[in-house]
């Protein structure tokens, strides 16, 4: 007699929900850090031994998102748009740079934190290793670069209260 079990559902394990313009949303298991670094510009005025310091250029780290492979291919299509743009077709920014929200959720689905990278676009897509002898799922990863990001407070999601970096 066959044993009928429940199909696996990984949706309850998603901890990050990523919403991207023109793509919709996708659940991810892992999300790397979003960070910004301000360069320290030093100059010595009039032969002074003590430098005058001021903030310089901002550097944003790329963010990497990982999920189990699905039938959805919208993220791969997005990187294809970037490939076509870089191959000389000259697509305008609006066709490949998109605003996004990375929402960290609790187990019950409540929003813990929200980060909003602006004008993001994929720089790397990894389809994952296929191993027929393994019980592991294929993990896809996409790395996004962005112009800047906002930290949206928990209490409200209005754009007026967001902190832009």
């Amino acid at each position: 007699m066959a044993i009928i079990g429940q199909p696996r559902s990984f949706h309850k394990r998603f901890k990050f929900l990523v919403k991207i313009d023109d793509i919709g949303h996708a659940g991810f298991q892992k999300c790397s850090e979003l960070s910004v670094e301000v360069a320290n510009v030093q100059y010595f005025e009039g032969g002074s031994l003590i430098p005058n310091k001021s903030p310089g250029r901002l550097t944003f780290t790329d963010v990497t998102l990982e999920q189990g492979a699905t039938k959805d291919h919208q993220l791969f299509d997005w990187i294809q748009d970037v490939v076509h743009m870089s191959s000389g077709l000259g697509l305008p920014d609006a066709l490949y740079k998109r605003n996004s929200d990375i929402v960290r959720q609790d187990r019950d689905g409540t929003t813990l934190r929200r980060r909003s990278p602006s004008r993001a676009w994929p720089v790397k897509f990894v389809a994952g290793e296929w191993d027929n002898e393994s019980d592991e799922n294929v993990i896809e990863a996409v790395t996004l670069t962005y112009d800047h990001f906002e930290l949206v407070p928990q209490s409200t999601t209005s754009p007026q209260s967001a902190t832009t970096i």
Side-chain angles (χ1 to χ4, degrees):
M1 183 165 114
I3 298 173
I4 299 175
Q6 293 291 332
R8 284 183 158 181
S9 174
F10 298 104
H11 298 289
K12 291 181 182 179
R13 296 187 60 203
F14 289 158
K15 301 292 187 279
F16 297 96
L17 184 65
V18 178
K19 300 175 183 179
I20 302 170
D21 291 350
D22 299 329
I23 288 183
H25 64 277
F28 289 87
Q29 294 298 115
K30 291 183 181 179
C31 177
S32 66
E33 65 184 18
L34 280 91
S35 66
V36 60
E37 185 176 334
V38 180
N40 179 14
V41 178
Q42 297 183 19
Y43 64 97
F44 297 86
E45 187 174 343
S48 173
L49 296 176
I50 300 172
N52 290 323
K53 298 180 181 181
S54 61
R57 294 184 178 185
L58 302 177
T59 304
F60 295 92
T61 60
D62 296 343
V63 62
T64 300
L65 303 162
E66 294 182 10
Q67 69 176 354
T70 64
K71 293 180 181 178
D72 186 15
H73 54 83
Q74 289 181 324
L75 288 174
F76 184 75
D77 291 344
W78 185 16
I79 202 164
Q80 288 295 97
D81 291 343
V82 175
V83 169
H84 292 305
M85 186 283 309
S86 65
S87 66
L89 297 178
L91 295 174
D93 286 356
L95 292 181
Y96 73 96
K97 288 189 176 182
R98 299 181 178 149
N99 295 325
S100 59
D101 284 334
I102 299 174
V103 181
R104 183 169 182 213
Q105 296 181 331
D106 200 357
R107 288 188 185 270
D108 62 355
T110 58
T111 299
L112 297 175
R113 293 183 182 256
R114 179 183 299 265
R115 306 291 186 249
S116 298
S118 296
R119 298 173 44 84
W121 51 281
V123 293
K124 183 178 182 181
F125 182 85
V126 178
E129 180 180 350
W130 295 358
D131 184 0
N132 288 338
E133 296 177 4
S134 173
D135 290 337
E136 299 290 320
N137 288 336
V138 175
I139 302 297
E140 293 180 341
V142 62
T143 302
L144 303 177
T145 190
Y146 50 92
D147 290 346
H148 68 280
F149 67 91
E150 295 178 357
L151 307 175
V152 181
Q154 271 181 254
S155 60
T156 180
T157 58
S158 67
Q160 294 84 4
S161 63
T163 304
T164 302
I165 293 183

